[in-house]
Amino acid sequence: SDVEIWSDMSGSQWQGTPLIRTDIGATSESELSFLDVAQLGEGHRIEQFHLDLPASVAVAKRFEFTVRWKSTNTQEEWSWASSTGHNARVALRPRIANKAPASYWRQQLRSLLRPACSDTLPPPATTIADSWQVSSTGASCMFKACEFDNAASGADFFGQLEAIDGVLTFARKDPFWIIPRAGTDASVAAGLDVVLVLVELSSGAYAALMPFAKDAPTKHTVVFRTGPSNTLYLRASPALDSAPSSIRVAASVSRHPHDAIHDLFERIQQTLPHISMDELSAHCQPPHATSLSGSMGYCTWNTFYQQVSHDRVVSVLSEICRIGRATNQPVPEWVVIDDGWQATTQDNSQGQLSEISANKDKFPDQLKQTVQSLAELGVTRVGVWHALWGYWGGIDHSGPLAQRYGLEKYQRKWCPAVKTASEVWLISKTCIAAFYDEFYQWLHGQGVTFVKVDYQAAFETLELDGSDVYSMYNAYYDAMESAALKYFGPGSVVYCMAQTPHLILRTLQHLDSVTAAQQREILRNSDDYFPDEPESHGWHIYCNMANALWSRQLQSRFAVDWDMFQPGKPESHIHAAARTLSGGPLYITGSATDYSHQDLASVLGHTCRTPLPSPLISSSCLFADMTATTGFLIGSTTLADESAVIISVYNVFHELVVAPVLVSQILTTSDSTGSNRYAIHQQSTGRVCICQTLADIYTLALQPLACDVLTVARMAMFRSTDRSAVLYAICIGDTSRYAGIGVVERNVFGVVQNIAPGTPAPRSGSPLGNPRQWILRVRLASGCNGVSFALQACESTPEAHSLPVSVQSVRVQGCEIDEWEYLSDTEILRVMFKPPPSNSTAICVTIILSA
């Protein structure tokens, strides 16, 4: 074929240049190593071409390109790879020194906004709340709002963004949810309240800005509004015209976008008054043994909606557990009974809560019998849904609750969740603590151990003075959180419809109270999962990945929740993979038939799940809506010990995408052994490649709503005792599941010096005591039933000739080994074993090998 690349890199005029054919099989470390031809479909073939150009050729810093081709020496028409508006895009970014001078970073923020409030900035040397903080890797400061007359104008001019190449705003879709809006101009969020702005500067740096009320962060909401030409306005609710000096805009700049966001939140937290949670947790239950983030759950919502009942819940879970155990699939360890279980006047947005007990027609024996029946199936935790103020329509003012608690009447404005204006009766602030104490005490007595608290931002739909809105917020949150700790313990609340500036700032005020990972509360990270709306699936994953930029800054208190998903549907696999890699809970909905049509074990394993940090969205995905862009949505998760990076790749576009993954830019693993070799595992094909040098890019092909995972692990390097040979080794975890490397808790490698008593005799190979002999010990998470190792040995000479590896002994402490096999052609050792009966016992694998 003849292939040409056409671009506007030299200016406005498009030009074509022939590409040069490349031998695909030239090296095993080719960028095509992980291109799965099966994803391309029938009738496709692979040819590789390249073109090397100096960056100086590009006149434009940002340009588009496309490719055309035709058969060689024919008169046929050229075929084009894309159409107008769908070309590939390239951005050339200046390199920033690893340690730039403080003056450089200070200037980046000074020149970001013109005109803004630079004349009000305090001298750099001060350390008060509005001062600069500058280092060799970035800077942060506080902008003051100079003149603020919010009561008169609704929004006041703050500044104009200058010298920027891209904008990512996080805007309020409605009172309940925050969504990403990305593009080249801040107008992408026109008409919406913007909580946070991230911009790509023309200098190559990234800056983040977020407004707030310094002295009263949970009594006022301050947001941006955007205008033409990248103008920013400030809007406060309630109006702050009497105290404009309270308005602050935190700003940070860094070489990396994630660092800019992190530094921004850290700076805001330093500024806010701290609120201790000691009083709330004075009478706290111990944490439950089953973590919502470390096991699989089930939610009744998309199965029954509001027609949930005891019989239906027990029936569907009985069948799911029967099928799962018969087919060696994971089964739910916890269940949330969603909307529809309560005693209400009606099951809709106008329904009102009559009593704290369950609906007697749906749950004749209340919840206790349901909890007991589910426990017999192996479900260890049951939670229930409720709205923060009781039910969607508030409290029944003529029902039993009205006889015990004081109620107040409010007018509710139209909002997307209600779609009608109405009056609501709510429990007064003075009575809400007593209500929650009674409510959660009753739930505790029924065997309930956690709650999903929904509709949390509903106070912002009331026709109230702003200060009253936030006093309601605070009173209800204090009462709910105190009762939850008292009766359920930490990690027992799922916060839903709660993506508000109020909750973000309230959380930052509480972040000194750091909790263990398994004790964190759960925060829904996006709007709902809609199984029957095909166009929503790609957006749902993109929205969650982007929102994790800010929600992961709250991860010392919250694990983020990407919502449930329904197995057995065409798009279920991408949702299952995304939830597994999300760092939050993984739970399903739907019928037993749905469950039986999907192999969940291949995604999340059979018996255990290791929680991970929230993924970091790739910088290449920040400034475009990836559901409308021909490219991959890419996230990366670095393990706690920085030994490996899990790169998740999603096609949320509506067509086949063949595109590169910039692995070398994503990888940030440290190295204490001097090794420069990597093991890369591809989830979709099971392929493992050992690379002496990482390629800058690896090309993948994915159909719409398909996904893949590349696990990149740096191999440890150890010399033999006689210094004649080198072993490269790494445990890449359970390769049968997504994020399987997460089961590896600790690698301990070394040369064999003294053989411990009880070490099994070699199965084959040289006797113990060979100087070219190594011992590998790995500690694995409980419940794991198999792992793989990448092993490579070579001579300790400049030529580094490879050496054959002989595995002599494999032992799994406390477990019965099913089988182990070393495949010399792929240099992979696989070990399968039966996990110990106790799911809390860590597993240790010991291997002796030689070269």
Side-chain angles (χ1 to χ4, degrees):
S1 300
D2 293 332
V3 181
E4 295 178 350
I5 183 170
W6 282 72
S7 78
D8 59 348
M9 71 173 69
S10 299
S12 59
Q13 186 69 34
W14 280 71
Q15 295 180 345
T17 306
L19 294 178
I20 303 168
R21 185 187 299 273
T22 304
D23 181 7
I24 292 177
T27 170
S28 61
E29 295 171 8
S30 161
E31 64 176 61
L32 297 182
S33 297
F34 300 105
L35 183 59
D36 185 3
V37 181
Q39 287 283 342
L40 298 174
E42 294 183 3
H44 288 84
R45 70 178 190 272
I46 299 174
E47 295 183 58
Q48 186 173 7
F49 298 82
H50 80 278
L51 180 65
D52 294 325
L53 293 174
S56 58
V57 171
V59 173
K61 287 176 55 181
R62 288 177 174 270
F63 58 88
E64 298 183 11
F65 75 90
T66 186
V67 173
R68 71 176 189 175
W69 67 91
K70 69 181 182 69
S71 298
T72 304
N73 301 322
T74 67
Q75 299 301 313
E76 68 180 34
E77 293 290 323
W78 289 90
S79 297
W80 292 86
S82 58
S83 57
T84 303
H86 296 283
N87 297 320
R89 295 176 175 86
V90 173
L92 300 179
R93 300 179 62 244
R95 288 188 178 272
I96 302 174
N98 288 333
K99 293 186 177 181
S103 59
Y104 172 84
W105 294 115
R106 197 188 308 275
Q107 182 58 32
Q108 295 299 303
L109 282 183
R110 284 192 183 278
S111 60
L112 174 61
L113 292 160
R114 294 188 186 278
C117 303
S118 57
D119 57 324
T120 70
L121 287 173
T126 61
T127 57
I128 60 175
D130 299 307
S131 68
W132 289 89
Q133 291 183 1
V134 186
S135 71
S136 61
T137 58
S140 64
C141 71
M142 290 288 175
F143 288 104
K144 292 181 181 178
C146 305
E147 300 294 334
F148 200 77
D149 188 22
N150 183 237
S153 64
D156 281 78
F157 179 74
F158 172 65
Q160 183 176 12
L161 297 170
E162 289 204 342
I164 63 172
D165 290 335
V167 179
L168 172 60
T169 64
F170 290 96
R172 303 191 72 182
K173 167 189 171 185
D174 52 39
F176 310 101
W177 303 111
I178 291 174
I179 58 174
R181 282 283 185 262
T184 57
D185 187 278
S187 62
V188 292
L192 298 175
D193 288 346
V194 175
V195 178
L196 171 67
V197 176
L198 177 70
V199 296
E200 181 183 18
L201 305 180
S202 299
S203 64
Y206 297 89
L209 301 100
M210 181 174 173
F212 65 103
K214 179 175 74 73
D215 299 322
T218 58
K219 295 182 180 178
H220 302 270
T221 291
V222 185
V223 294
F224 288 125
R225 280 296 181 104
T226 63
S229 302
N230 286 317
T231 51
L232 295 179
Y233 298 82
L234 287 171
R235 179 174 177 269
S237 175
L240 278 168
D241 53 311
S242 60
S245 62
S246 177
I247 295 287
R248 294 290 183 275
V249 175
S252 65
V253 63
S254 182
R255 296 175 65 244
H256 301 291
H258 309 100
D259 292 339
I261 297 286
H262 173 79
D263 294 347
L264 179 81
F265 274 72
E266 191 174 70
R267 188 66 194 278
I268 294 173
Q269 186 191 7
Q270 293 171 1
T271 307
L272 296 176
H274 171 66
I275 297 177
S276 173
M277 295 189 70
D278 292 343
E279 186 175 344
L280 290 179
S281 57
H283 305 285
C284 180
Q285 290 283 330
H288 199 280
T290 300
S291 164
L292 300 182
S293 296
S295 54
M296 192 179 84
Y298 181 89
C299 180
T300 63
W301 178 244
N302 289 107
T303 315
F304 306 117
Y305 295 100
Q306 289 163 323
Q307 303 310 308
V308 66
S309 68
H310 166 82
D311 290 341
R312 287 176 170 174
V313 172
V314 174
S315 174
V316 72
L317 266 298
S318 296
E319 187 64 7
I320 284 175
C321 291
R322 182 192 67 79
I323 294 171
R325 294 190 175 105
T327 58
N328 199 25
Q329 293 291 313
V331 296
E333 296 182 46
W334 52 270
V335 170
V336 56
I337 302 173
D338 214 290
D339 184 12
W341 70 271
Q342 292 170 286
T344 61
T345 57
Q346 51 186 316
D347 290 336
N348 56 38
S349 63
Q350 300 301 311
Q352 299 169 331
L353 186 66
S354 302
E355 184 54 281
I356 61 173
S357 56
N359 183 305
K360 294 179 181 178
D361 294 330
K362 299 177 180 179
F363 294 86
D365 297 314
Q366 295 298 291
L367 298 176
K368 183 175 290 185
Q369 182 59 48
T370 308
V371 172
Q372 290 175 350
S373 298
L374 293 177
E376 292 170 1
L377 300 174
V379 174
T380 59
R381 296 190 75 174
V382 176
V384 295
W385 176 100
H386 70 84
L388 182 57
W389 65 23
Y391 199 64
W392 299 108
I395 306 299
D396 179 7
H397 67 280
S398 60
L401 286 176
Q403 308 304 314
R404 302 201 298 274
Y405 301 105
L407 303 185
E408 296 176 351
K409 184 171 69 173
Y410 299 91
Q411 279 300 124
R412 180 169 53 171
K413 299 174 286 188
W414 183 97
C415 75
V418 179
K419 294 181 172 58
T420 183
S422 60
E423 69 175 29
V424 292
W425 290 83
L426 302 179
I427 295 173
S428 68
K429 293 182 291 184
T430 57
C431 298
I432 193 61
F435 164 78
Y436 264 107
D437 191 80
E438 181 193 9
F439 185 22
Y440 283 7
Q441 183 181 34
W442 181 82
L443 289 175
H444 176 72
Q446 296 289 307
V448 171
T449 62
F450 70 97
V451 285
K452 176 183 175 181
V453 184
D454 211 343
Y455 206 43
Q456 293 190 19
F459 295 108
E460 296 185 39
T461 69
L462 300 180
E463 292 184 353
L464 278 176
D465 176 72
S467 58
D468 291 334
V469 167
Y470 295 104
S471 65
M472 292 279 284
Y473 255 138
N474 293 326
Y476 271 66
Y477 269 139
D478 286 347
M480 182 270 290
E481 291 168 350
S482 178
L485 286 170
K486 179 178 179 180
Y487 293 108
F488 309 133
S492 60
V493 179
V494 179
Y495 288 67
C496 191
M497 297 180 75
Q499 289 185 320
T500 63
H502 179 273
L503 183 65
I504 292 172
L505 295 171
R506 178 183 172 90
T507 302
L508 291 176
Q509 289 185 279
H510 290 163
L511 277 190
D512 285 351
S513 305
V514 177
T515 56
Q518 69 271 21
Q519 299 177 19
R520 293 180 296 170
E521 312 300 341
I522 307 296
L523 175 65
R524 273 283 300 279
N525 197 46
S526 76
D527 198 350
D528 290 4
Y529 157 77
F530 299 107
D532 300 320
E533 297 183 13
E535 70 282 356
S536 71
H537 298 298
W539 167 259
H540 185 85
I541 292 170
Y542 164 64
C543 183
N544 273 285
M545 183 77 80
N547 274 349
L549 257 177
W550 62 265
S551 62
R552 74 191 314 272
Q553 309 308 321
L554 313 177
Q555 63 185 353
S556 62
R557 185 184 178 198
F558 289 117
V560 295
D561 174 12
W562 291 28
D563 202 11
M564 71 194 93
F565 73 96
Q566 188 169 336
K569 289 181 167 285
E571 71 283 349
S572 297
H573 184 80
I574 192 172
H575 283 292
R579 304 310 192 273
T580 301
L581 298 163
S582 70
L586 185 152
Y587 53 119
I588 62 173
T589 187
S591 68
T593 302
D594 296 330
Y595 172 82
S596 68
H597 288 166
Q598 184 161 2
D599 179 11
L600 290 174
S602 66
V603 180
L604 56 136
H606 297 276
T607 56
C608 75
R609 177 167 176 259
T610 305
L612 298 165
S614 296
L616 291 173
I617 186 171
S618 170
S619 58
S620 64
C621 306
L622 289 174
F623 302 107
D625 178 352
M626 298 309 297
T627 66
T629 304
T630 309
F632 293 134
L633 174 64
I634 301 173
S636 63
T637 304
T638 302
L639 298 191
D641 63 357
E642 297 188 340
S643 62
V645 174
I646 302 168
I647 302 173
S648 47
V649 186
Y650 306 94
N651 181 8
V652 295
F653 191 57
H654 60 270
E655 296 177 357
L656 167 71
V657 171
V658 181
V661 178
L662 306 177
V663 172
S664 59
Q665 290 187 17
I666 296 171
L667 197 69
T668 58
T669 55
S670 62
D671 176 32
S672 59
T673 67
S675 169
N676 61 352
R677 299 199 185 197
Y678 295 85
I680 307 178
H681 171 245
Q682 183 182 29
Q683 194 68 42
S684 62
T685 63
R687 191 176 301 145
V688 179
C689 290
I690 297 178
C691 307
Q692 294 189 27
T693 304
L694 277 178
D696 289 333
I697 63 174
Y698 289 97
T699 301
L700 299 181
L702 292 176
Q703 292 289 339
L705 295 182
C707 62
D708 206 346
V709 172
L710 297 178
T711 300
V712 185
R714 191 191 295 266
M715 303 178 74
M717 182 187 77
F718 293 98
R719 298 188 184 278
S720 59
T721 54
D722 64 359
R723 316 295 287 177
S724 66
V726 175
L727 174 72
Y728 296 91
I730 189 69
C731 179
I732 53 178
D734 181 357
T735 56
S736 68
R737 70 173 81 180
Y738 280 67
I741 198 167
V743 305
V744 182
E745 294 185 349
R746 191 181 180 196
N747 280 300
V748 182
F749 301 158
V751 296
V752 173
Q753 305 255 351
N754 299 306
I755 304 301
T759 299
R763 187 167 77 175
S764 63
S766 57
L768 297 177
N770 180 352
R772 289 185 176 180
Q773 203 165 48
W774 297 267
I775 187 167
L776 314 180
R777 289 193 178 95
V778 179
R779 179 185 170 96
L780 305 172
S782 60
C784 177
N785 64 348
V787 289
S788 296
F789 295 79
L791 306 170
Q792 193 173 73
C794 64
E795 293 179 347
S796 187
T797 61
E799 295 78 16
H801 295 301
S802 61
L803 295 170
V805 171
S806 172
V807 179
Q808 300 173 329
S809 170
V810 177
R811 180 178 62 175
V812 183
Q813 183 177 338
C815 298
E816 179 184 343
I817 296 179
D818 286 334
E819 63 174 336
W820 64 267
E821 180 182 25
Y822 176 65
L823 304 173
S824 58
D825 54 336
T826 60
E827 301 175 302
I828 301 299
L829 169 66
R830 302 187 188 279
V831 183
M832 300 299 297
F833 47 84
K834 293 181 174 65
S838 172
N839 218 26
S840 61
T841 304
I843 300 167
C844 295
V845 179
T846 302
I847 299 166
I848 295 178
L849 53 92
S850 63

